[in-house]
Amino acid sequence: MITDLNAIVVFAAVAELRSFRAAADRLGVTRSAVSQSIRRLEARLGVALLRRTTRSVSLTEAGEDLYASVAPAMAEMQTALDAARDRAARPRGQLRIAVSSIAETFLSGALLASFASAHPEIRLDIVVTDEEFDIVAEGYDAGVRLGEVIERDMIAVPVSGDQRQLAVCSPSYLARHPAPAHPRDLASHRCIGWRPAPDVAPYRWEFAKGGREFDVAVEPEITTNDMGLMIRLAVAGAGITFGMEDTFRPWLHRGELVCVLEEYCPTFPGFFLYFPSRRNLAPKLRALLDHVGKHRRSAGPGKD
């Protein structure tokens, strides 16, 4: 026999307050609804739980025993509900995010360190990966990737400005080789390419001109899955490499790398923090969205 748990809640309220009217007021129902609920419960149990007169309500022996048994459980349930309500109001718990390795703005120490400092009850678990997978199925709260590769059923919030990819090399390399005038000229240059795994073809370098996009399958003399190594090789004069401008920016500012074919490297939408739904958005994720927005506003146009 399955007993209506709502009836137990009603019984506990009457037993505590010793009043049908007071119990009805607490529960937000009519006095008649309280009476009917108690009658159904007594009928299911086959025993009287309450003694009712026009002036008072008291518990029978069976009612005393039942109330003594359910009251602690009711208190524990209320504590659990209060804790869940408190969790829903405060940013806390573990926040798992899968982030593209080239999302320099998001992975900057300043953004994440300031977020961690502002929300000490949130434990960040950040996996830097370029693999494509379903973040929901893998148990992540959100991901950060280029907008063009995010599934359309996701909510996406910008975490950077527009981006572009650049072909770069060292001044010493250009001193020994004429600069390419067109991406097709890369075929006669030493190139440093990227691929995610040994059994995957090297990434094709993407360019555009006059609104027409095209890519070039370079034949790299060196391939690797490590962007840091690509940069070190390029700075050492090993050849031309290709990647995100944000990644190269420190070396470009110092003059250790220079850009080639820049007219073929237009901007495109940048990185987005994405997640499945705004419905019942967890406070920990809401806190991150708010923090990213503040960080972008404080950085100013063109600085993110």
Side-chain angles (χ1 to χ4, degrees), residues 45-288:
L45 297 178
V47 64
L49 300 173
L50 300 169
R51 299 187 189 91
R52 307 183 270 291
T53 70
T54 56
R55 292 186 301 276
S56 66
V57 175
S58 61
L59 296 174
T60 65
E61 184 178 1
E64 292 281 5
D65 291 343
L66 179 60
Y67 182 64
S69 297
V70 302
M74 297 289 292
E76 289 182 11
M77 289 175 61
Q78 188 60 52
T79 299
L81 290 171
D82 290 342
R85 189 177 298 111
D86 181 59
R87 176 174 288 274
R90 296 167 56 194
R92 61 189 300 183
Q94 185 181 68
L95 184 60
R96 299 191 70 212
I97 311 171
V99 185
S100 168
S101 67
I102 55 176
E104 300 286 344
T105 299
F106 187 84
L107 291 173
S108 72
L111 188 154
L112 293 175
S114 58
F115 176 76
S117 176
H119 300 282
E121 291 188 84
I122 296 178
R123 303 185 310 279
L124 283 173
D125 182 7
I126 300 171
V127 174
V128 179
T129 176
D130 294 305
E131 294 183 22
E132 295 186 15
F133 55 84
D134 183 342
I135 59 170
V136 176
E138 296 298 325
Y140 288 89
D141 296 289
V144 177
R145 299 176 70 185
L146 286 171
E148 63 188 29
V149 296
I150 296 174
E151 296 82 354
R152 294 192 176 185
D153 62 345
M154 291 286 174
I155 306 297
V157 176
V159 297
S160 78
D162 287 349
Q163 302 286 302
R164 65 174 178 168
Q165 295 190 97
L166 296 179
V168 299
C169 61
S170 70
S172 65
Y173 178 84
L174 285 185
R176 302 191 310 272
H177 304 84
H182 188 277
R184 62 174 170 264
D185 297 337
L186 290 168
S188 60
H189 280 267
R190 297 185 62 83
C191 294
I192 305 163
W194 180 86
R195 62 179 175 184
D199 58 347
V200 178
Y203 175 74
R204 297 173 69 92
W205 297 10
E206 299 174 334
F207 300 96
K209 183 69 171 178
R212 185 179 69 87
E213 298 179 355
F214 59 96
D215 56 48
V216 176
V218 299
E219 296 286 345
E221 276 71 21
I222 305 172
T223 57
T224 178
N225 67 339
D226 183 76
M227 179 58 70
L229 177 58
M230 292 166 63
I231 293 173
R232 292 191 295 272
L233 288 167
V235 169
I240 300 173
T241 195
F242 191 76
M244 301 299 294
E245 182 178 15
D246 277 0
T247 302
F248 297 139
R249 184 168 284 118
W251 291 269
L252 291 168
H253 283 174
R254 293 194 297 266
E256 296 176 79
L257 292 175
V258 294
C259 181
V260 295
L261 301 171
E262 189 167 5
E263 62 183 296
Y264 295 93
C265 301
T267 60
F268 52 85
F271 292 93
F272 291 76
L273 177 69
Y274 68 100
F275 49 95
S277 174
R278 290 188 185 276
R279 185 173 179 271
N280 294 327
L281 192 64
K284 58 186 178 181
L285 183 53
R286 168 56 62 192
L288 179 61

